[in-house]
Amino acid sequence: MTNGRIPSGIYGLDRLIEGGFRDKTANVVVGSSGTGKTTFAIQFIMHGIENGEQGLYISLEESPSQIMEEAALMGFDMEKHYEENLFFIHLKGQNFKKMIEEQLPALVKARSDYLIKTRVVVDPLTPVIWATPDQLEQRELIGKLFYTVKELGVVLATVEEHAKPGETIGEDVLIPVYLSDGVIHLEYYPVGGAFNRTLQIIKMRGTKHGEGVYPYIFVRGAGIVVRSAPTEVEEVKPGDYSEVFDRAIKTAQSMNAPEHVIEKIKKIRDNWQYPYSPEEVLEILFDSFKLKR
Amino acid sequence: MTNGRIPSGIYGLDRLIEGGFRDKTANVVVGSSGTGKTTFAIQFIMHGIENGEQGLYISLEESPSQIMEEAALMGFDMEKHYEENLFFIHLKGQNFKKMIEEQLPALVKARSDYLIKTRVVVDPLTPVIWATPDQLEQRELIGKLFYTVKELGVVLATVEEHAKPGETIGEDVLIPVYLSDGVIHLEYYPVGGAFNRTLQIIKMRGTKHGEGVYPYIFVRGAGIVVRSAPTEVEEVKPGDYSEVFDRAIKTAQSMNAPEHVIEKIKKIRDNWQYPYSPEEVLEILFDSFKLKR
Amino acid sequence: MTNGRIPSGIYGLDRLIEGGFRDKTANVVVGSSGTGKTTFAIQFIMHGIENGEQGLYISLEESPSQIMEEAALMGFDMEKHYEENLFFIHLKGQNFKKMIEEQLPALVKARSDYLIKTRVVVDPLTPVIWATPDQLEQRELIGKLFYTVKELGVVLATVEEHAKPGETIGEDVLIPVYLSDGVIHLEYYPVGGAFNRTLQIIKMRGTKHGEGVYPYIFVRGAGIVVRSAPTEVEEVKPGDYSEVFDRAIKTAQSMNAPEHVIEKIKKIRDNWQYPYSPEEVLEILFDSFKLKR
Amino acid sequence: MTNGRIPSGIYGLDRLIEGGFRDKTANVVVGSSGTGKTTFAIQFIMHGIENGEQGLYISLEESPSQIMEEAALMGFDMEKHYEENLFFIHLKGQNFKKMIEEQLPALVKARSDYLIKTRVVVDPLTPVIWATPDQLEQRELIGKLFYTVKELGVVLATVEEHAKPGETIGEDVLIPVYLSDGVIHLEYYPVGGAFNRTLQIIKMRGTKHGEGVYPYIFVRGAGIVVRSAPTEVEEVKPGDYSEVFDRAIKTAQSMNAPEHVIEKIKKIRDNWQYPYSPEEVLEILFDSFKLKR
Amino acid sequence: MTNGRIPSGIYGLDRLIEGGFRDKTANVVVGSSGTGKTTFAIQFIMHGIENGEQGLYISLEESPSQIMEEAALMGFDMEKHYEENLFFIHLKGQNFKKMIEEQLPALVKARSDYLIKTRVVVDPLTPVIWATPDQLEQRELIGKLFYTVKELGVVLATVEEHAKPGETIGEDVLIPVYLSDGVIHLEYYPVGGAFNRTLQIIKMRGTKHGEGVYPYIFVRGAGIVVRSAPTEVEEVKPGDYSEVFDRAIKTAQSMNAPEHVIEKIKKIRDNWQYPYSPEEVLEILFDSFKLKR
Amino acid sequence: MTNGRIPSGIYGLDRLIEGGFRDKTANVVVGSSGTGKTTFAIQFIMHGIENGEQGLYISLEESPSQIMEEAALMGFDMEKHYEENLFFIHLKGQNFKKMIEEQLPALVKARSDYLIKTRVVVDPLTPVIWATPDQLEQRELIGKLFYTVKELGVVLATVEEHAKPGETIGEDVLIPVYLSDGVIHLEYYPVGGAFNRTLQIIKMRGTKHGEGVYPYIFVRGAGIVVRSAPTEVEEVKPGDYSEVFDRAIKTAQSMNAPEHVIEKIKKIRDNWQYPYSPEEVLEILFDSFKLKR
């Protein structure tokens, strides 16, 4: 079933989308400020790199060093891969139209000769949308951008959204939603409680996808973890979970898990400050790396 | 009662619209991203082709190969009929106004000499709407488009919608809704549960149509199946339903069902991963092909 | 009380508006797609023709043949009266401003010499509204149109509406509502059940009118039937009601009902596929034709 | 307390506004289609005329004959006073700006020499509002109009409103509401029942006014009757109330009520078709004419 | 704590704002039609005058005589102080931009030489807002106006508002709210009952202010009285409360209250027509004038 | 965990954002009128100054003296540091575009040579937003402003908001929210009660932040105090809490708290007029200054 599917790297997501994204598709992550769109994008691209793929990060707002610094705060070491198999295009302040219509196609043409798999991130796509209120022009610009970078591999674009009350998805992001092959919607209601961050799959062409509302959490060192069922996590006082982690590490080693997986578990252990046991998160992780306990 | 009615090919829909669409009418399928509008369109046109009709697919967004690839993922083999009795017009990036006013009429004139029945799909109509915010111009463009292609046979156009909370149908799709002979509304609320995809018939000229809210599901290999009553499907763990399918295949053979119907049932069998028995879907299918058990 | 009132032809409506419309008034039927505005208009004009009046159908969208074909599907034989006492003006694609300001007055002047009563339909008025977003210009155009055709007799204009949630009537139809003498609002919520089509009388100058929400149904062969009280119709499985119809026909004949009334009852009989008895509808019909049982 | 107050003529209203309107004030009646704004205006001006005052009816939409015809249908004989002490200015299709700035002041100057009390109606003010979307220009035009006609006496202007759900008063009528001395809001929800027409007093400068929601009804022959408390009227089948009326007429005669009051009661008697006793309405009437039983 | 605070003159308000307004601040009273903004302004300015201050009333809509007439109806004798220590600037129809930028600064400069305390009213500020929809221009005009008149003393400006349902304060008054030092919001829901007029303090720079919803009433002869707690006033039939008033007058005299306070109580007595005892209002009054019983 | 974090100075906030703001980030405080945005900004900058840092206050509305006067009313002595280590740039009435693009970078360049830590306040950012409705231009202006001043240290900008009902954050402040590294949302509902002022953290890049709704209060002499849990404060009558304060002062002294902390407690004592004990506030204070009792 997962033939040709490309794992997203977002823990717990792939089992909702038949194993991953389809190759050469453009997927959009939509969410308001603070939902973790950039974390999603970094995690997606780093997953590829850790598995021998290349990554192209088209940044339209922050500089590569800012992005790498934020990645580090979340536990991702982008620096190590910088200019090796992780490349940046920083388009701040440029003329999008010209860039998208002339420069980008040339760049992509040059890269596409290599046979190595490439993941592309456009983060955020928002400035292209804001470049013009004219829907037709937006459609042409974004259509061309998607068309061009899909040549390289799976594309993930992030979009800032401002949904009005009651809307499923913001009216302001209609064009990228319409032009993409897949749409993932992140929501964040800062009102406390265990379910204030949720993920929905709005569309995923050619894919039988999960149709629920899935809670997700941020785990420093791992990234976004999507839980497939909204069952309550027992909230207890933070305790010492090193034993749980050590057991998990030993199990992983006994299954010959690759080194970077072991390191990821160690990082999570060192950063774990949540008031509940990491059991469920570790289980989703093992599942993601196809380690069967 | 079904005199002159053209079966839609959407399983379970025809019994809600007196047997099918009226010939030479323009029908619009309206829905937001992820509701399955393209699946609807592909299923409609393939049903005609499987029954000896011709199909004309006017695509305003994706290329024929992309459409055919997605069709394949859903279990429709469009390639087999490509350029035989399935024809494409791909209008990406063209000047709609000129195309609709000059080229299309010429094209249609050329085709309409043949006496063979033709189904026309316009998927999606959205770029024509977005081409101008001026309602009067929209009306002229879409009016002319419908007028032209209705000459060939039944027309099905898909429209992306962004309904605001509480609206029956999006304000942005008012013009095609107004100008069409029939309007089918698809809705998708990604909140889990068995009834998060529903279909309503907004209008159907000259037809006494169903006036309810009908749940529908996607069945890989079959397409959209509309259920006529919102009774709960018992959700159980996926089981082995091969026996149910084999019995259905035998029954169909004993009734001398055409080969493509048998193949469809086999395809559904191979793709069945739903947590409930396929009995109801098979029943709607038999009903659609007028096989009485 | 019904002095000078002109029966609407809509079964069950006249008893809500003191017997019918006032002569030389402009009345507007407002409703969203699929509410049956054109059915309302056809039924109104045919009622006059069947009673020896003339009808002028000003069509701004469909051709006379399309309208007559749809009328036939609903059980109205317009063809028989075509160019005899039923006349069409088809204004598709014309310059409304010029037409309304110059041609129409001349046409009306020519007709108004005849002494025969005339009903005028403008179906739909919508293109005139959409011709300009400028409220002042709309007001002048529609004001002049109403002023001109009211000279001939009762006018009925249909208007497509897109009401936003909670509005009594759509903001987009404010001008024709304001300029007319009477406004009838049709609503359709496709959610199943017996009361998903309702009629309200928004205003009716110089008339003490019903102020409720009245359900209505479509009866093929008869048209729209307005029920004066929202009492539940018992929904049962469709049965054989030929006996009920035959009794009604005999009763009508015994009361010397005109031939076209007898034929209407027969047509309803041949098309009756509703899951309940036609008793109530027949009663409203008898009442409309002033046949007292 | 009623020193200098001018009775409105609307039965039941004056006791809510300290006896009537203040002289030389501009008062606005706001309501959507079908609320009875014109009835309100006619009743107001006729009350003055029946008591020896003059009336000036500035009509911006219908002709004097149309207005008088509708008045007759409601039981007001305007014709009798036409050009005697009831005068019309019909401004249909004129240039409001020029009229308001030049002609009207001259006209008013000419009239204001007479010492007789004059009531002024502007019905409807709506075309002045629609003449321009520019709030500043609206303000100048309406400000000047009010300023000019207030010189003659009490002014009553009607305004068509389209309130959005939840608004107390429509945003589109903000300017006349702001510029007037008093605002009366009429609402009509055509949903059946006894309280679907209500009146509220939004503002009344220098007046301690009722602050409730008051139901009102139309009584053919009398006009609008405002009920001061929303107590349920017992709905019974229409009966024969001639005895109640005859007793009322005798009582009025014994109190030396003027002839036109007696006639009004007779007219109401002849038109009474409501399913409840006229007791309450007669009481409000006696109260309005200051007849104490 | 009340050092330098300037009593508002609105009975019951000062105890909610640490004793009064701060000197040389601009305060805005926002409310829809009929909330009593002008009453608020008149009461504020008259309070200063009765205590030996000067008042400058900048009127942008009505003439000084209209304002004084309305003040009289509410029980305020402005005439007595006219041109003595109460001055008017009437800006009707003038060019606001020029006035605010050139004339007003000159005027204020001339006045500010006098050492006497001055209260400034701008009533209503609305025309300045409506003079332009451009927020930047509004900001400059109103900013300059506030800046100029704050030189004289406390400023109180009234603003007409049209809040949409659910908004705390209207979007149309955002600029004056933003530019002022204090904002008081008046609301009026004409639905009957004891709490249909309420006051809220939206902001008050440098002041610890009440954060509740406070009901207020109009008392002819006194003006606005703000109640600090929403406890129910027992509604009884109007009675004879002269004894209560006489006792209050005697108490005031025994405390050597100034003559104008005694007169105010007498005026209230003569106008009292409310269906409950004036005890609470008298208590708030005594409190305002710092008379301890 | 707090490595490199810069304490906000807002009592109770830092424990919600991993110890403080990250250096060289732009943080936005969003709130409607009266939420205390300026208090927030003053408290933030004064905290740095009291700890030996420099402060740059970029004021776009009020003059330095107005800001310092208001600060004094809240208990902050800005005057003492004026032009010593607290500097002002007052941009009232200037051309923002030119200032932001040319002058500010030069100014910042000049300052950034010094090695001393600097906090930057932009209060309010609102005029930059209102300078143009064009989102793209807003984005460039604000992006450049943030980019420039982030060079100096942590930036805190305040933004006036007008959220529509149901929105998490106002649509009008989308651009600064999008461009900033952190967003804190203040809300104020003037409806009385203990929880009518609340704070939420909308986003905080690279930070695991609190995701609840946190009530906050103003304490004259201290400023804003954020409570981490919405537990009810027992409301009692104001009492004499000097003993509580004296005990707190002694404890602080015994822990060798710096002099300015002792002074702060004394100021709070002198201004305490709340109807409940200062225990909780003192605890948050001690916690903020890292004094462990």
Side-chain angles (χ1 to χ4, degrees), chain F residues 180-193:
Chain F
S180 63
D181 299 289
V183 176
I184 287 167
H185 193 212
L186 304 181
E187 286 187 286
Y188 166 43
Y189 298 106
V191 294

Side-chain angles (χ1 to χ4, degrees), chain B residues 40 49 54 56 60 65 73-74 112 147 184 209-210 240 280:
Chain B
F40 196 110
I49 285 167
Q54 286 202 349
L56 176 64
L60 283 89
S65 65
L73 282 164
M74 294 181 278
S112 60
Y147 177 83
I184 288 166
H209 58 77
D240 184 6
E280 191 198 3

Side-chain angles (χ1 to χ4, degrees), chain C residues 28-270:
Chain C
V28 170
V29 175
V30 177
S32 61
S33 261
T35 45
K37 298 181 295 294
T38 291
T39 304
F40 195 112
I42 290 172
Q43 193 173 349
F44 161 76
I45 209 167
M46 288 304 287
H47 186 82
I49 285 167
E50 285 168 356
N51 287 286
E53 300 176 20
Q54 285 202 349
L56 177 64
Y57 203 114
I58 302 175
S59 155
L60 284 90
E61 211 65 65
E62 300 191 296
S63 67
S65 65
Q66 281 173 305
I67 292 161
M68 289 190 291
E69 188 194 337
E70 278 161 35
L73 282 164
M74 294 181 279
F76 294 100
D77 188 354
M78 290 183 105
E79 300 261 9
K80 195 167 74 183
H81 305 279
Y82 184 54
E83 297 277 304
E84 295 270 329
N85 38 10
L86 172 60
F87 305 92
F88 282 89
I89 300 180
H90 186 203
L91 296 166
K92 191 174 170 76
Q94 293 198 15
N95 182 322
F96 299 122
K97 210 170 145 38
K98 197 170 178 181
M99 175 278 287
I100 287 167
E101 286 176 353
E102 296 172 24
Q103 295 166 306
L104 203 62
L107 259 158
V108 164
K109 204 176 184 325
R111 296 204 70 83
S112 62
D113 296 339
Y114 302 94
L115 285 172
I116 194 160
K117 271 201 165 182
T118 304
R119 293 178 179 221
V120 184
V121 156
V122 183
D123 176 50
L125 187 59
T126 306
V128 183
I129 299 173
W130 287 352
T132 169
D134 175 2
Q135 289 200 311
L136 197 64
E137 207 176 313
Q138 269 186 32
R139 187 183 153 263
E140 276 184 27
L141 226 56
I142 297 172
K144 187 154 273 174
L145 173 61
F146 280 177
Y147 177 84
T148 305
V149 291
K150 272 159 85 165
E151 284 306 296
L152 292 174
V154 195
V155 177
L156 190 92
T158 68
V159 191
E160 182 97 358
E161 170 207 38
H162 188 88
K164 294 195 184 73
E167 286 185 335
T168 304
I169 211 161
E171 195 183 354
D172 48 344
V173 298
L174 193 50
I175 308 284
V177 161
Y178 166 76
L179 291 173
S180 64
D181 299 288
V183 176
I184 287 167
H185 193 211
L186 304 182
E187 285 187 286
Y188 166 44
Y189 297 108
V191 295
F195 296 106
N196 58 357
R197 294 183 180 275
T198 58
L199 175 153
Q200 287 174 297
I201 299 159
I202 302 297
K203 77 170 175 185
M204 197 61 67
R205 277 188 192 143
T207 305
K208 182 164 157 54
H209 58 78
E211 303 190 343
V213 181
Y214 306 100
Y216 67 94
I217 55 170
F218 291 115
V219 179
R220 192 166 268 162
I224 289 168
V225 181
V226 183
R227 299 174 55 211
S228 57
T231 55
E232 228 13 278
V233 175
E234 236 183 284
E235 295 222 14
V236 294
K237 286 269 157 248
D240 184 7
Y241 298 111
S242 42
E243 214 177 306
V244 177
F245 282 107
D246 292 346
R247 208 166 45 232
I249 289 166
K250 268 185 209 142
T251 309
Q253 283 167 334
S254 74
M255 297 165 86
N256 296 317
E259 191 49 35
H260 71 87
V261 173
I262 306 293
E263 262 173 57
K264 191 146 301 216
I265 300 174
K266 286 181 181 163
K267 247 190 214 161
I268 298 173
R269 182 192 57 195
D270 298 345

Side-chain angles (χ1 to χ4, degrees), chain D residues 2 6 12 39 42 52 54 61 64 86-87 102 105 142 177 183 196 213 238 243 247 262 266 268 270 275 285:
Chain D
T2 63
I6 291 153
T39 304
I42 289 172
Q54 286 203 349
E61 211 64 65
L86 172 61
F87 305 91
E102 295 172 24
I142 297 172
V177 161
V183 176
N196 59 357
V213 181
E243 213 178 304
R247 208 166 45 231
I262 306 292
K266 285 182 180 163
I268 297 173
D270 299 345
L285 229 86

Side-chain angles (χ1 to χ4, degrees), chain F residues 72-255:
Chain F
L73 282 163
M74 294 180 278
F76 294 99
D77 188 354
M78 290 183 106
E79 301 261 8
K80 195 167 72 182
H81 304 280
Y82 184 57
E83 298 276 303
E84 295 269 331
N85 38 10
L86 172 60
F87 306 91
F88 281 89
I89 300 179
H90 186 202
L91 296 167
K92 191 174 168 76
Q94 293 198 17
N95 182 323
F96 298 122
K97 208 169 146 40
K98 196 170 179 180
M99 176 279 286
I100 287 168
E101 286 176 354
E102 296 172 23
Q103 294 166 308
L104 203 61
L107 259 159
V108 164
K109 205 177 183 329
R111 295 204 71 83
S112 60
D113 296 339
Y114 302 94
L115 285 172
I116 195 161
K117 270 201 165 181
T118 305
R119 293 179 179 221
V120 184
V121 155
V122 183
D123 177 49
L125 187 60
T126 306
V128 183
I129 299 172
W130 287 352
T132 169
D134 175 1
Q135 289 200 311
L136 196 64
E137 208 176 313
Q138 269 186 34
R139 187 183 153 263
E140 275 183 29
L141 227 55
I142 297 172
K144 188 154 270 171
L145 174 60
F146 280 177
Y147 177 84
T148 304
V149 292
K150 273 159 84 165
E151 285 305 296
L152 292 173
V154 195
V155 177
L156 191 91
T158 67
V159 190
E160 181 97 359
E161 171 207 37
H162 188 88
K164 294 195 183 74
E167 285 185 336
T168 302
I169 210 160
E171 195 184 354
D172 49 344
V173 298
L174 192 51
I175 307 284
V177 161
Y178 166 75
L179 291 173
S180 63
D181 299 289
V183 176
I184 287 167
H185 193 212
L186 304 181
E187 286 187 286
Y188 166 43
Y189 298 106
V191 294
F195 296 107
N196 58 359
R197 293 183 182 277
T198 58
L199 174 153
Q200 287 173 297
I201 299 159
I202 302 296
K203 76 170 176 186
M204 198 59 69
R205 277 188 192 144
T207 304
K208 182 167 156 54
H209 59 78
E211 303 190 343
V213 182
Y214 306 100
Y216 68 93
I217 56 171
F218 291 115
V219 179
R220 193 168 266 163
I224 288 169
V225 181
V226 182
R227 299 173 55 211
S228 58
T231 56
E232 222 19 273
V233 175
E234 236 183 284
E235 294 223 15
V236 295
K237 284 270 156 248
D240 184 7
Y241 298 111
S242 43
E243 214 178 305
V244 177
F245 281 107
D246 292 346
R247 208 165 46 231
I249 291 166
K250 268 184 209 144
T251 309
Q253 284 166 333
S254 75
M255 298 165 85

Side-chain angles (χ1 to χ4, degrees), chain A residues 3-266:
Chain A
N3 295 356
R5 293 286 169 166
I6 292 155
S8 67
I10 310 304
Y11 304 115
L13 176 63
D14 293 343
R15 52 179 155 177
L16 299 175
I17 52 172
E18 295 194 300
F21 296 119
R22 285 169 51 217
D23 199 11
K24 310 216 165 176
T25 56
N27 301 279
V28 170
V29 175
V30 177
S32 61
S33 261
T35 46
K37 297 182 296 292
T38 290
T39 303
F40 196 111
I42 289 172
Q43 194 174 348
F44 161 76
I45 208 166
M46 289 303 287
H47 186 83
I49 285 167
E50 286 167 356
N51 287 286
E53 301 176 18
Q54 285 204 349
L56 176 64
Y57 202 114
I58 302 174
S59 155
L60 283 90
E61 210 65 65
E62 300 191 293
S63 67
S65 64
Q66 281 173 304
I67 291 161
M68 289 190 292
E69 189 195 334
E70 278 161 35
L73 282 164
M74 294 180 278
F76 293 99
D77 189 354
M78 289 183 106
E79 300 262 10
K80 195 166 74 183
H81 305 279
Y82 183 56
E83 297 276 303
E84 295 268 331
N85 38 10
L86 172 60
F87 306 91
F88 282 89
I89 300 179
H90 185 203
L91 297 167
K92 192 174 168 76
Q94 294 198 15
N95 182 321
F96 299 122
K97 209 168 146 40
K98 197 170 178 180
M99 175 279 286
I100 288 168
E101 285 177 352
E102 296 172 22
Q103 294 166 307
L104 203 62
L107 260 159
V108 164
K109 203 176 182 332
R111 294 204 72 83
S112 61
D113 296 340
Y114 302 93
L115 284 173
I116 195 160
K117 270 201 165 182
T118 304
R119 293 178 179 221
V120 184
V121 155
V122 184
D123 176 49
L125 187 60
T126 307
V128 183
I129 299 172
W130 287 352
T132 169
D134 175 1
Q135 289 200 310
L136 196 64
E137 207 176 313
Q138 269 186 34
R139 186 182 153 263
E140 275 184 28
L141 227 56
I142 297 172
K144 188 154 270 172
L145 174 61
F146 280 177
Y147 177 84
T148 305
V149 292
K150 272 159 84 166
E151 284 305 295
L152 292 173
V154 194
V155 177
L156 191 91
T158 68
V159 191
E160 181 97 359
E161 170 208 38
H162 188 89
K164 295 196 183 73
E167 285 184 335
T168 303
I169 210 159
E171 195 183 354
D172 49 344
V173 298
L174 192 50
I175 307 284
V177 161
Y178 166 76
L179 291 173
S180 63
D181 299 289
V183 176
I184 287 165
H185 193 212
L186 303 181
E187 287 188 285
Y188 167 43
Y189 297 107
V191 295
F195 297 106
N196 58 359
R197 293 184 181 275
T198 57
L199 175 154
Q200 287 172 297
I201 299 159
I202 302 297
K203 76 169 175 187
M204 197 60 68
R205 277 188 192 143
T207 305
K208 181 165 158 54
H209 58 78
E211 303 190 342
V213 181
Y214 306 100
Y216 68 94
I217 55 171
F218 291 115
V219 179
R220 193 168 267 164
I224 289 168
V225 181
V226 182
R227 299 173 55 211
S228 58
T231 56
E232 225 15 276
V233 175
E234 237 183 284
E235 295 223 13
V236 296
K237 285 270 156 250
D240 184 6
Y241 297 111
S242 43
E243 214 178 305
V244 177
F245 281 107
D246 292 346
R247 209 166 44 232
I249 290 167
K250 269 184 208 143
T251 309
Q253 283 167 334
S254 75
M255 298 165 87
N256 295 316
E259 192 48 36
H260 70 87
V261 174
I262 306 293
E263 262 173 57
K264 190 145 303 215
I265 299 174
K266 286 182 179 162

